[in-house]
Amino acid sequence: MIRALAIFVALLAAPAALAAEHDAPRIAIIIDDLGYQLALGRRAIALPGPVSYAVLPGTPRGRTLAASANAEGKDVLLHLPMQAVGSDTHAEPATMTLDMSREHFGRAFETAFAAVPFAIGVNNHRGSLLTRHPGHMRWLMQEILERESLFFIDSYTTKESVALQIAAETGVRAIKRDVFLDNEPATGTIRQQFERLKSLARLRGAAVAIGHPHEATLAFLETALPELAEQGFELVPISELIVNQSRPEHSNFSSMTRRELSH
């Protein structure tokens, strides 16, 4: 009798426990710039939990690291290089630029996408110039729409980015980065940004951070990520924050041809 009562009480409590777990603030972390350094890339992929990984196209280790991340069941993104403001001495060879025609833009995107196997989404590498141009962002969203399962993460390298606005107008599922963990890859700065990430997650219910495969970043996350659950947070793949977003109907856009979009 006592055992039956205990089971009954446990069953009553289960939905509440599940609700509490579902209501936990969610955190998604993307590690950008994978593709050049094999050892640090592998160490990044070994981070505990469903961290997500953005791989630069055309890099010597990009395909290998994308395959490794996928084999571990982790989200892979195409980290699409885009033109930045000013003289960009760090531009990648595959950078999408403002002087591209619509046709050239489409070919370049296809080449970049093919270079990162298992990619389920796209986020921008740099892009403080290109992401503020509605025409080019519309071309990008059309490329994403043509690959129906894809989504877009705005790395938000400029406050003037119109990427999310154009994504909403065209029916592309998209969100933006909230925090850069390691613009200054020092442990104290990374810790401060990580605390900011947690505060935003508590406030909004979810938050997105981007980091990089720096020694200091990886060392910090190796210790910090296992503690998130006991602190009341849920670490989730970036796709989980996208999954409930539907693609709105935008017949005026979806019926456009590339020729129409280029004018």
Side-chain angles (χ1 to χ4, degrees), residues 239-257:
S239 57
E240 185 167 318
L241 298 187
I242 293 286
V243 72
N244 292 326
Q245 294 189 33
S246 60
R247 292 188 187 273
E249 292 298 325
H250 292 272
S251 56
N252 289 341
F253 179 82
S254 59
S255 63
M256 288 181 180
T257 65

Side-chain angles (χ1 to χ4, degrees), residues 165-188:
Q165 174 189 332
I166 302 301
E169 291 174 4
T170 55
V172 170
R173 296 169 298 162
I175 55 177
K176 77 174 181 68
R177 179 271 315 166
D178 296 299
V179 173
F180 275 126
L181 292 176
D182 52 8
N183 273 345
E184 296 179 18
T187 301

Side-chain angles (χ1 to χ4, degrees), residues 77-129:
L77 307 178
L78 164 61
H79 195 33
L80 186 64
M82 297 186 193
Q83 188 175 0
V85 172
S87 177
D88 194 351
T89 57
H90 301 287
E92 300 292 328
T95 297
M96 314 292 282
T97 60
L98 200 58
D99 60 359
M100 285 180 170
S101 66
R102 176 65 182 93
E103 183 179 2
H104 186 187
F105 191 98
R107 289 198 308 267
F109 182 89
E110 177 59 35
T111 299
F113 183 65
V116 180
F118 309 107
I120 62 172
V122 180
N123 77 330
N124 55 293
H125 173 67
R126 302 174 71 80
S128 56
L129 177 63

Side-chain angles (χ1 to χ4, degrees), residues 4-24:
L5 181 60
I7 292 173
F8 178 70
V9 170
L11 288 172
L12 285 178
L18 288 172
E21 181 180 357
H22 179 74
D23 291 339

Side-chain angles (χ1 to χ4, degrees), residues 94-255:
T95 297
M96 314 292 282
T97 60
L98 200 58
D99 60 359
M100 285 180 170
S101 66
R102 176 65 182 93
E103 183 179 2
H104 186 187
F105 191 98
R107 289 198 308 267
F109 182 89
E110 177 59 35
T111 299
F113 183 65
V116 180
F118 309 107
I120 62 172
V122 180
N123 77 330
N124 55 293
H125 173 67
R126 302 174 71 80
S128 56
L129 177 63
L130 206 69
T131 58
R132 67 177 72 186
H133 282 268
H136 287 68
M137 288 301 96
R138 196 169 296 271
W139 294 352
L140 174 64
M141 299 311 160
Q142 175 64 11
E143 293 297 330
I144 290 174
L145 280 172
E146 289 182 3
R147 299 157 181 84
E148 291 186 2
S149 61
L150 288 184
F151 54 83
F152 180 71
I153 310 297
D154 187 355
S155 300
Y156 204 56
T157 56
T158 173
K159 291 182 179 179
E160 296 179 42
S161 172
V162 297
L164 282 191
Q165 174 189 332
I166 302 301
E169 291 174 4
T170 55
V172 170
R173 296 169 298 162
I175 55 177
K176 77 174 181 68
R177 179 271 315 166
D178 296 299
V179 173
F180 275 126
L181 292 176
D182 52 8
N183 273 345
E184 296 179 18
T187 301
T189 302
I190 295 166
R191 180 178 293 108
Q192 183 179 31
Q193 292 299 94
F194 196 72
E195 290 303 317
R196 179 167 171 258
L197 173 69
K198 292 193 289 185
S199 295
L200 288 172
R202 287 191 195 98
L203 180 66
R204 302 175 183 171
V208 178
I210 288 178
H212 301 84
H214 301 310
E215 169 71 32
T217 305
L218 299 179
F220 177 83
L221 292 176
E222 285 164 352
T223 299
L225 293 183
E227 299 174 351
L228 281 176
E230 63 189 53
Q231 294 170 354
F233 297 93
E234 183 182 6
L235 181 65
V236 299
I238 191 64
S239 57
E240 185 167 318
L241 298 187
I242 293 286
V243 72
N244 292 326
Q245 294 189 33
S246 60
R247 292 188 187 273
E249 292 298 325
H250 292 272
S251 56
N252 289 341
F253 179 82
S254 59
S255 63

